[in-house]
Amino acid sequence: YYIPRIPGLASSPLPEILTESAEEISIGYIPQPSSECSRPAALEEQISLLRVDSSLSYVLMQPTGNQHHGIALTDAPQVAQAFINFRNRAFYNGDIQSVALMSKVLCSVAKDFGLMKEDVFQQLGKEYGATSSRIEAEIDNLKKNILPRLETMMEGRYERSDYAVVMRLS
């Protein structure tokens, strides 16, 4: 099987995020939490929504009301696979680097739903226990090495609403 990789990621500070297991790169795979990690209620809700439809990569939630937007990244397989790897690492142990990398993709998708970067950071904060400033600081730390490659892979693919299959879940 083929595992898409972000070019140069093996020499980056995040080599452990990408996995070699075929089961673990499946979009429907959700890892059990690390023994040192307990999942907040918001993350358990995220996971339960993903279990309803295993084709979804993530679910964005409106800050007010109960409207949810299921996202299935389909247009850029390498970005989708990297996102799933980051998501699963964050699900496993709340890895802040993975959360920061996921936020870059989710923020670009959120625009189509009228969500702002702050809304995405607020949701991720509830799910992973990280403040917006902590996520921003981690993004700044990653800008030199990993994010330029991820953004190059995303270039031109996530600027319009045809980048993903979107479902209303509420």
Tab-separated table of all heavy atoms in Angstrom, residues 25-30 47-59 71-72 84 87 167 169:
chain	number	residue	atom	x	y	z
A	25	ILE	N	-4.277	4.227	8.601
A	25	ILE	CA	-4.412	5.301	7.622
A	25	ILE	C	-5.797	5.324	7.010
A	25	ILE	O	-6.105	6.171	6.205
A	25	ILE	CB	-3.323	5.233	6.524
A	25	ILE	CG1	-3.453	3.971	5.694
A	25	ILE	CG2	-1.949	5.392	7.132
A	25	ILE	CD1	-2.557	3.950	4.481
A	26	SER	N	-6.666	4.422	7.413
A	26	SER	CA	-8.046	4.418	6.956
A	26	SER	C	-8.784	5.602	7.564
A	26	SER	O	-8.637	5.885	8.753
A	26	SER	CB	-8.709	3.100	7.384
A	26	SER	OG	-10.102	3.227	7.366
A	27	ILE	N	-9.608	6.285	6.751
A	27	ILE	CA	-10.324	7.458	7.232
A	27	ILE	C	-11.249	7.118	8.398
A	27	ILE	O	-11.479	7.918	9.285
A	27	ILE	CB	-11.097	8.148	6.092
A	27	ILE	CG1	-11.585	9.520	6.541
A	27	ILE	CG2	-12.250	7.300	5.610
A	27	ILE	CD1	-12.102	10.372	5.427
A	28	GLY	N	-11.786	5.900	8.431
A	28	GLY	CA	-12.718	5.515	9.478
A	28	GLY	C	-12.056	5.062	10.762
A	28	GLY	O	-12.729	4.860	11.773
A	29	TYR	N	-10.742	4.920	10.766
A	29	TYR	CA	-10.030	4.455	11.958
A	29	TYR	C	-9.960	5.568	12.999
A	29	TYR	O	-9.567	6.693	12.700
A	29	TYR	CB	-8.620	4.003	11.587
A	29	TYR	CG	-7.777	3.627	12.783
A	29	TYR	CD1	-7.964	2.410	13.427
A	29	TYR	CD2	-6.821	4.486	13.275
A	29	TYR	CE1	-7.206	2.070	14.538
A	29	TYR	CE2	-6.052	4.158	14.375
A	29	TYR	CZ	-6.253	2.939	15.004
A	29	TYR	OH	-5.509	2.605	16.100
A	30	ILE	N	-10.339	5.257	14.211
A	30	ILE	CA	-10.228	6.197	15.323
A	30	ILE	C	-9.485	5.477	16.446
A	30	ILE	O	-9.987	4.487	16.984
A	30	ILE	CB	-11.607	6.683	15.790
A	30	ILE	CG1	-12.269	7.467	14.653
A	30	ILE	CG2	-11.490	7.519	17.061
A	30	ILE	CD1	-13.676	7.896	14.909
A	47	ILE	N	-15.817	12.585	17.933
A	47	ILE	CA	-15.597	11.186	17.554
A	47	ILE	C	-16.922	10.474	17.315
A	47	ILE	O	-17.060	9.716	16.343
A	47	ILE	CB	-14.725	10.479	18.607
A	47	ILE	CG1	-13.292	11.036	18.522
A	47	ILE	CG2	-14.747	8.970	18.433
A	47	ILE	CD1	-12.388	10.603	19.658
A	48	SER	N	-17.918	10.744	18.139
A	48	SER	CA	-19.216	10.085	17.935
A	48	SER	C	-19.854	10.526	16.626
A	48	SER	O	-20.479	9.718	15.935
A	48	SER	CB	-20.150	10.330	19.121
A	48	SER	OG	-20.583	11.671	19.155
A	49	LEU	N	-19.685	11.793	16.246
A	49	LEU	CA	-20.200	12.260	14.961
A	49	LEU	C	-19.455	11.597	13.798
A	49	LEU	O	-20.066	11.256	12.775
A	49	LEU	CB	-20.100	13.779	14.862
A	49	LEU	CG	-21.035	14.570	15.781
A	49	LEU	CD1	-20.659	16.043	15.784
A	49	LEU	CD2	-22.493	14.380	15.367
A	50	LEU	N	-18.159	11.412	13.932
A	50	LEU	CA	-17.382	10.754	12.882
A	50	LEU	C	-17.749	9.277	12.760
A	50	LEU	O	-17.687	8.704	11.668
A	50	LEU	CB	-15.879	10.909	13.138
A	50	LEU	CG	-15.346	12.334	13.018
A	50	LEU	CD1	-13.899	12.400	13.456
A	50	LEU	CD2	-15.519	12.867	11.607
A	51	ARG	N	-18.131	8.663	13.857
A	51	ARG	CA	-18.537	7.255	13.806
A	51	ARG	C	-19.881	7.076	13.096
A	51	ARG	O	-20.160	6.004	12.580
A	51	ARG	CB	-18.586	6.665	15.209
A	51	ARG	CG	-17.201	6.402	15.748
A	51	ARG	CD	-17.224	5.639	17.052
A	51	ARG	NE	-15.868	5.259	17.406
A	51	ARG	CZ	-15.334	5.439	18.597
A	51	ARG	NH1	-16.046	5.972	19.571
A	51	ARG	NH2	-14.090	5.074	18.838
A	52	VAL	N	-20.709	8.132	13.082
A	52	VAL	CA	-21.989	8.071	12.371
A	52	VAL	C	-21.746	7.920	10.868
A	52	VAL	O	-22.454	7.189	10.191
A	52	VAL	CB	-22.841	9.332	12.664
A	52	VAL	CG1	-24.043	9.416	11.751
A	52	VAL	CG2	-23.264	9.342	14.124
A	53	ASP	N	-20.729	8.612	10.366
A	53	ASP	CA	-20.391	8.533	8.940
A	53	ASP	C	-18.875	8.446	8.815
A	53	ASP	O	-18.173	9.449	8.913
A	53	ASP	CB	-20.920	9.756	8.194
A	53	ASP	CG	-20.694	9.674	6.695
A	53	ASP	OD1	-19.883	8.833	6.239
A	53	ASP	OD2	-21.324	10.443	5.961
A	54	SER	N	-18.366	7.255	8.597
A	54	SER	CA	-16.914	7.039	8.569
A	54	SER	C	-16.236	7.620	7.341
A	54	SER	O	-15.016	7.574	7.244
A	54	SER	CB	-16.600	5.546	8.690
A	54	SER	OG	-17.114	4.862	7.566
A	55	SER	N	-16.992	8.207	6.406
A	55	SER	CA	-16.361	8.852	5.252
A	55	SER	C	-15.929	10.280	5.573
A	55	SER	O	-15.239	10.912	4.783
A	55	SER	CB	-17.313	8.865	4.051
A	55	SER	OG	-18.394	9.755	4.291
A	56	LEU	N	-16.335	10.797	6.731
A	56	LEU	CA	-15.997	12.166	7.093
A	56	LEU	C	-14.595	12.254	7.680
A	56	LEU	O	-14.166	11.381	8.420
A	56	LEU	CB	-16.997	12.716	8.108
A	56	LEU	CG	-18.440	12.839	7.635
A	56	LEU	CD1	-19.322	13.340	8.770
A	56	LEU	CD2	-18.546	13.744	6.431
A	57	SER	N	-13.910	13.346	7.363
A	57	SER	CA	-12.594	13.621	7.923
A	57	SER	C	-12.702	14.350	9.256
A	57	SER	O	-11.911	14.110	10.162
A	57	SER	CB	-11.777	14.489	6.962
A	57	SER	OG	-11.690	13.883	5.698
A	58	TYR	N	-13.677	15.252	9.367
A	58	TYR	CA	-13.872	16.028	10.587
A	58	TYR	C	-15.245	16.667	10.530
A	58	TYR	O	-15.867	16.712	9.468
A	58	TYR	CB	-12.791	17.121	10.729
A	58	TYR	CG	-12.353	17.339	12.157
A	58	TYR	CD1	-11.492	16.442	12.775
A	58	TYR	CD2	-12.804	18.421	12.905
A	58	TYR	CE1	-11.099	16.610	14.093
A	58	TYR	CE2	-12.403	18.604	14.216
A	58	TYR	CZ	-11.548	17.685	14.799
A	58	TYR	OH	-11.158	17.842	16.105
A	59	VAL	N	-15.702	17.164	11.656
A	59	VAL	CA	-16.983	17.861	11.721
A	59	VAL	C	-16.731	19.234	12.332
A	59	VAL	O	-16.197	19.340	13.439
A	59	VAL	CB	-18.018	17.077	12.569
A	59	VAL	CG1	-19.319	17.863	12.679
A	59	VAL	CG2	-18.265	15.703	11.974
A	71	ILE	N	-17.145	17.253	7.002
A	71	ILE	CA	-16.162	17.514	5.954
A	71	ILE	C	-15.521	16.195	5.537
A	71	ILE	O	-14.988	15.469	6.373
A	71	ILE	CB	-15.047	18.451	6.466
A	71	ILE	CG1	-15.627	19.726	7.089
A	71	ILE	CG2	-14.046	18.768	5.356
A	71	ILE	CD1	-16.464	20.552	6.166
A	72	ALA	N	-15.577	15.907	4.246
A	72	ALA	CA	-14.863	14.758	3.697
A	72	ALA	C	-13.886	15.310	2.665
A	72	ALA	O	-14.290	15.717	1.580
A	72	ALA	CB	-15.837	13.765	3.061
A	84	ILE	N	-5.713	13.092	8.075
A	84	ILE	CA	-6.162	11.933	8.860
A	84	ILE	C	-5.059	11.488	9.825
A	84	ILE	O	-5.325	11.160	10.978
A	84	ILE	CB	-6.606	10.768	7.953
A	84	ILE	CG1	-7.840	11.170	7.135
A	84	ILE	CG2	-6.884	9.500	8.766
A	84	ILE	CD1	-9.029	11.631	7.947
A	87	ARG	N	-5.022	14.061	12.559
A	87	ARG	CA	-6.240	13.896	13.366
A	87	ARG	C	-6.101	12.710	14.320
A	87	ARG	O	-6.384	12.813	15.512
A	87	ARG	CB	-7.444	13.694	12.443
A	87	ARG	CG	-8.765	13.534	13.178
A	87	ARG	CD	-9.825	12.907	12.310
A	87	ARG	NE	-9.581	11.470	12.177
A	87	ARG	CZ	-10.342	10.666	11.446
A	87	ARG	NH1	-11.361	11.146	10.753
A	87	ARG	NH2	-10.073	9.379	11.372
A	167	MET	N	-21.552	17.847	4.274
A	167	MET	CA	-22.870	17.344	4.670
A	167	MET	C	-23.344	18.099	5.902
A	167	MET	O	-22.564	18.352	6.801
A	167	MET	CB	-22.776	15.857	4.998
A	167	MET	CG	-22.246	15.024	3.877
A	167	MET	SD	-21.931	13.340	4.408
A	167	MET	CE	-23.574	12.801	4.776
A	169	LEU	N	-25.184	17.870	9.251
A	169	LEU	CA	-25.449	16.763	10.141
A	169	LEU	C	-26.510	17.085	11.190
A	169	LEU	O	-26.828	16.251	12.008
A	169	LEU	CB	-24.169	16.339	10.860
A	169	LEU	CG	-23.049	15.866	9.951
A	169	LEU	CD1	-21.829	15.551	10.770
A	169	LEU	CD2	-23.478	14.659	9.156
